């Protein structure tokens, strides 16, 4: 089997990730709910994971990192916890439904929404941010990289614009965390929402939110915190402010091991290896008659792209192509809408969808070449 | 039960603050350990840091220097 669906979840994890999860299930107690060894060991591991995440995103301190189940939960938390009726929010057509749906729901409650267009290559125009600005604009909420095209947004540019306009910058880092540099402090990002099971190579059910110090997000869920138990409300201090109930300690132990692996392997090595594999695949398929590749593959963007190549073969249903790849070639790619309805609208692929190939640094050149060969063969049918 | 001794007890707003304290103390070999918050200070649950009351340094100043956050510092027979 050749797995090329890493934008959905990274299937191959470092060996130590599985071991850490198994060890945690057998030995770790409830973090922060006791002072015995099993509980403290869990709390120490969680603290160390917060520290690694805060260093990864250049957050002010480990306390500014709250854990959630995934990016979707983090984005819901941020959107519901920050915006109020009358606020205006700017987002883009590049977004995943994890950004769009929480914003649409807030729109029903009186939040005003502007969705910036994307061109046929799936790129946004940065000047549109300033054009969309209004006196009640509260924030930009956008993705770092499109999960469909792999196009990466320029965080420095967006951060500068947000700073100039005096508005918040909320980032969806689902497709880039663990692979691309994200510097909250330097770039002026107020909130980073991330998931643990994609580029961070951790287990599903792990994710989190990094919040700039001083920005209060109203909690979406309240309940047990292990501290300040006689308060009728959730503690005001981070991270307990945004963490009610028992954390997914076992999963976070896996994320902890994955973060150590990324630190040892080097994010730059991982990124360059994935981009190399992506380019190899792109070069192999781009000139095949009948194949249409989506996204910005211009020379200047090649070393900035996320490792994703979306394509279609003729007017075949993307689901049919992905099914044929899986059944006849054992190549696992993802078809359909990828929860990115507006991106498909911009690309003109709403009906057909697209077949998305997304690489991991664990993939080999041989696997990429076999995938190219399969696309070539299918395009002849 | 153990005989009560005079201890310096530091309390925290969050578990994260408590573990940050423990991590920093272990790094610099400052004596002490995490204990449940004594009821003399506050009822309920939570973690606190208990250390010998006769420790040579000033723990508040040290925590400030280390950029640690805490809720209260006091001495108690526990």
């Amino acid at each position: 089997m050749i797995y090329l669906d890493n934008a959905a979840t990274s299937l191959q994890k470092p060996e130590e990730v599985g071991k850490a999860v198994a060890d945690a299930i057998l030995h770790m107690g409830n973090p922060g709910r006791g002072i015995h060894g099993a509980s403290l060991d869990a709390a120490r591991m969680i603290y160390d994971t917060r520290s690694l995440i805060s260093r990864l995103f250049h957050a002010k301190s480990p306390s500014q990192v709250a854990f959630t189940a995934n990016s979707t939960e983090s984005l819901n938390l941020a959107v519901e916890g920050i915006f109020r009726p009358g606020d205006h929010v700017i987002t883009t057509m590049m977004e995943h439904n994890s950004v769009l749906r929480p914003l649409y729901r807030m729109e029903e409650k009186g939040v005003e929404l502007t969705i910036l267009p994307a061109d046929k290559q799936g790129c946004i125009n940065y000047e549109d941010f300033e054009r969309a600005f209004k006196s009640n604009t509260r924030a930009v909420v956008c993705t770092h990289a499109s999960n469909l095209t792999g196009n990466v947004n320029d965080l420095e540019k967006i951060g500068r614009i947000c700073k100039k306009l005096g508005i918040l910058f909320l980032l969806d880092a689902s497709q880039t965390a663990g692979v691309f540099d994200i510097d909250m402090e330097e770039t002026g990002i107020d909130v980073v929402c991330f998931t643990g099971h994609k580029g961070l190579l951790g287990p599903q059910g792990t994710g989190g939110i990094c919040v700039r110090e001083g920005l209060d997000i109203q909690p979406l869920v309240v309940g047990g915190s292990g501290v300040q138990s006689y308060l009728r409300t959730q503690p005001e201090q981070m991270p307990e402010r945004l963490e009610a109930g028992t954390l997914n300690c076992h999963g976070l132990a896996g994320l902890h091991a994955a973060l150590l692996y990324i630190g040892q392997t080097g994010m730059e090595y991982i990124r360059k290896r994935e981009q190399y594999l992506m380019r190899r695949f792109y070069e192999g398929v781009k000139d095949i008659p009948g194949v249409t590749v989506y996204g910005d593959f211009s020379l200047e963007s090649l070393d900035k792209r996320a490792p994703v190549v979306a394509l279609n073969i003729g007017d075949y249903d993307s689901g049919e192509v992905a099914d044929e790849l899986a059944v006849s070639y054992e190549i696992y790619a993802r078809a359909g809408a990828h929860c990115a309805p507006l991106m498909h609208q911009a690309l003109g692929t709403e009906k057909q969808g697209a077949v998305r190939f997304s690489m991991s640094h664990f993939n080999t050149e041989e696997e990429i070449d076999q995938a190219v060969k399969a696309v070539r063969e299918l395009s002849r049918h | 039960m153990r005989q009560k001794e005079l201890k310096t007890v530091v309390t925290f707003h969050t578990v994260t603050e408590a573990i940050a304290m423990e991590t920093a103390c272990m790094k610099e070999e400052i004596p002490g350990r995490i204990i449940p918050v004594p009821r003399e200070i506050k009822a309920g649950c939570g973690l606190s840091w208990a250390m010998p009351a006769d420790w040579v340094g000033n723990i508040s100043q040290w925590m400030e220097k280390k950029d640690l956050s805490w809720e209260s510092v006091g001495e108690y027979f526990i």
Side-chain angles (χ1 to χ4, degrees), chain A residues 245-287:
Chain A
T246 299
L247 288 174
N248 175 10
C249 171
H250 305 149
L252 290 171
L255 181 61
H256 179 257
L259 287 161
L260 293 179
Y261 168 85
I262 291 168
Q264 283 155 11
T265 308
M267 210 156 63
E268 195 183 355
Y269 166 77
I270 292 172
R271 182 173 64 251
K272 287 192 168 163
R273 167 89 188 146
E274 291 181 353
Q275 287 174 329
Y276 159 71
L277 294 171
M278 170 195 66
R279 278 201 302 276
R280 190 179 179 101
F281 181 77
Y282 171 70
E283 293 297 333
V285 298
K286 73 182 170 64
D287 296 324

Side-chain angles (χ1 to χ4, degrees), chain A residues 32 34-35 40 43-44 47 50 62-63 225-230 237-240, chain B residues 12-17 19-20 22-23 26 34-36 42-47:
Chain A
I35 51 85
L40 284 178
R44 287 170 189 136
Y47 176 75
R50 286 192 212 283
S63 291
S225 54
V227 292
Q228 306 182 41
S229 295
Y230 289 110
Q237 292 81 12
M238 284 284 288
E240 274 81 344
Chain B
F12 305 94
H13 303 98
T14 65
V15 175
T16 307
E17 289 178 1
I19 302 294
E22 185 195 51
T23 306
M26 282 171 73
I34 284 178
I35 63 163
K42 199 168 58 175
C45 40
L47 311 180

Side-chain angles (χ1 to χ4, degrees), chain A residues 1-6 273-285 288 307-309 325 331 357-376:
Chain A
M1 182 269 283
I2 296 173
Y3 186 82
L4 290 170
D5 197 14
N6 293 280
R273 167 89 188 146
E274 291 181 353
Q275 287 174 329
Y276 159 71
L277 294 171
M278 170 195 66
R279 278 201 302 276
R280 190 179 179 101
F281 181 77
Y282 171 70
E283 293 297 333
V285 298
I288 297 174
V308 171
V309 182
L325 283 167
I331 293 170
F357 299 81
S358 46
M359 294 74 188
S360 152
H361 71 289
F362 287 122
N363 283 126
T364 63
E365 282 83 348
E366 292 70 30
E367 288 178 329
I368 298 299
D369 295 346
Q370 282 186 51
V372 170
K373 189 167 166 258
V375 172
R376 185 174 291 118

Side-chain angles (χ1 to χ4, degrees), chain A residues 305-323:
Chain A
R305 293 181 48 76
V308 171
V309 182
L311 57 79
N312 273 315
I313 300 176
D315 62 354
Y316 280 114
D317 179 346
S318 62
E320 198 182 338
V321 174
D323 188 49

